[in-house]
Amino acid sequence: MARKNKLEIAKDKKGNNVKNIYTLVNSSGKTEYFTSFMLDGKSYQKKNLTKNKNYNATCQRRS
């Protein structure tokens, strides 16, 4: 599936870039979060974190 908009590197509250996290504002105005990672030697490119309920990428938690 092709994306109409280009993904942008996510920024933290101080304005610094966040490594491997990308944002995209969809047509309804909501921000979606994407990431790329490697697991068991397989590379996953630009997985959407907001579409999966297990990730809950819309909230930020600090530990």
Side-chain angles (χ1 to χ4, degrees):
M1 178 187 340
R3 292 188 188 98
K4 293 182 180 179
N5 298 328
K6 187 177 178 186
L7 295 174
E8 297 180 4
I9 297 174
K11 306 263 185 196
D12 62 9
K13 290 182 180 180
K14 294 181 180 178
N16 300 322
N17 292 343
V18 179
K19 187 176 182 181
N20 291 334
I21 303 290
Y22 304 91
T23 60
L24 174 72
V25 178
N26 63 17
S27 60
S28 66
K30 291 181 85 174
T31 301
E32 294 183 356
Y33 295 92
F34 293 82
T35 188
S36 57
F37 59 93
M38 184 175 280
L39 180 65
D40 294 332
K42 185 175 178 184
S43 178
Y44 295 89
Q45 296 297 318
K46 309 301 188 275
K47 286 294 204 179
N48 191 338
L49 297 174
T50 52
K51 298 223 179 214
N52 189 328
K53 292 184 231 175
N54 296 331
Y55 298 130
N56 194 16
T58 57
C59 67
Q60 292 181 351
R61 295 184 183 160
R62 303 273 184 197
S63 45

